[in-house]
Amino acid sequence: MACRDYEYRYERYERKPYGECSSYDDKCMVYNDLLNEIKKLDESFTVTDAIKDGILDDWKVSIQRVFENSLLAQNFKKSYGEYKVLVANVRKSWIMNKKQLFTKKDNISELERQTTCGLVLQELFTDYVYKERNRCAHNTRSYQHNLPSIKEMMSKGYKLQNYFLYMSIIILLDKIYIKLFEIYLSKMM
């Protein structure tokens, strides 16, 4: 996009550059940049339910293909089973709302959030995925000795400490960006 729109290039890479694009706010900035560039080409564009359904369907099918017969799923059956329950109830209302990649907690009923321990994708990303990314990136696990207690491991929320969940949320972000970029390219023609 920056190769085609020099104003965007200046704005994004000189005046308000991205950070590492790891935080939720940075990811929302990428999302909003894609939306804004699409709207420059087609002012009437909106993220429809059909677009959201397509992204979620593609996401669920692709992550199932990746995980289903993998050694990880075979060796970590409990985590994989918990993961499948966690993502089974993700709905289109949970993604791509106005300027937010993921819908805020206040806009999703408590009943809908029951399988994810009351959390939504935004909180799952910021509280689990992003923190785990930082632990891995900065190798803090090698010198921190804050292992969970048995009580913590038995808690309902501990099932959210799940690499299947982490990977699937990252894949969902990619699916959103890929779809929006495809729409951007189609509007260019």
Side-chain angles (χ1 to χ4, degrees):
M1 292 184 318
C3 292
R4 295 181 176 153
D5 184 346
Y6 296 118
E7 289 178 32
Y8 166 73
R9 178 189 290 189
Y10 174 73
E11 184 70 24
R12 178 51 58 219
Y13 296 106
E14 294 295 325
R15 294 191 64 216
K16 298 178 193 169
Y18 290 124
E20 296 173 344
C21 284
S22 299
S23 72
Y24 179 73
D25 290 338
D26 286 347
K27 294 198 179 299
C28 280
M29 233 183 347
V30 172
Y31 169 73
N32 286 312
D33 283 355
L34 281 163
L35 279 182
N36 292 336
E37 290 299 310
I38 292 169
K39 287 183 181 188
K40 282 182 186 177
L41 299 170
D42 179 3
E43 292 177 11
S44 65
F45 176 79
T46 58
V47 177
T48 63
D49 285 345
I51 292 171
K52 292 179 184 183
D53 284 335
I55 290 169
L56 286 179
D57 291 344
D58 184 29
W59 172 62
K60 288 179 180 180
V61 168
S62 65
I63 59 175
Q64 182 179 356
R65 274 192 225 134
V66 169
F67 294 148
E68 192 172 70
N69 296 316
S70 71
L71 283 174
L72 286 173
Q74 292 172 13
N75 290 326
F76 299 99
K77 289 181 182 182
K78 182 178 182 233
S79 292
Y80 183 60
E82 290 171 344
Y83 153 76
K84 289 194 308 188
V85 170
L86 289 168
V87 298
N89 292 319
V90 173
R91 304 281 181 253
K92 65 185 165 197
S93 62
W94 288 39
I95 62 169
M96 302 171 71
N97 288 303
K98 297 185 173 130
K99 299 218 175 258
Q100 293 293 315
L101 265 169
F102 298 141
T103 306
K104 293 182 179 181
K105 188 176 187 174
D106 300 342
N107 298 326
I108 298 175
S109 73
E110 193 172 325
L111 182 63
E112 283 183 289
R113 296 182 276 120
Q114 196 170 12
T115 59
T116 56
C117 300
L119 301 177
V120 293
L121 290 172
Q122 181 180 354
E123 291 174 312
L124 289 171
F125 181 83
T126 56
D127 295 350
Y128 292 93
V129 178
Y130 184 64
K131 285 182 180 177
E132 186 62 23
R133 176 253 174 232
N134 288 340
R135 286 185 204 113
C136 293
H138 303 290
N139 197 23
T140 59
R141 292 231 188 248
S142 66
Y143 59 84
Q144 287 182 342
H145 302 288
N146 55 351
L147 298 175
S149 66
I150 296 293
K151 184 178 178 182
E152 186 181 342
M153 289 191 306
M154 297 302 293
S155 72
K156 187 177 178 183
Y158 190 73
K159 69 182 177 182
L160 298 174
Q161 302 281 338
N162 188 313
Y163 279 100
F164 295 107
L165 179 63
Y166 302 165
M167 288 185 277
S168 70
I169 290 174
I170 292 169
I171 291 170
L172 176 58
L173 289 168
D174 284 345
K175 295 290 182 187
I176 291 170
Y177 297 140
I178 289 167
K179 182 61 177 175
L180 288 177
F181 194 70
E182 286 173 353
I183 291 169
Y184 169 76
L185 291 177
S186 71
K187 303 281 183 193
M188 290 292 297
M189 301 192 177

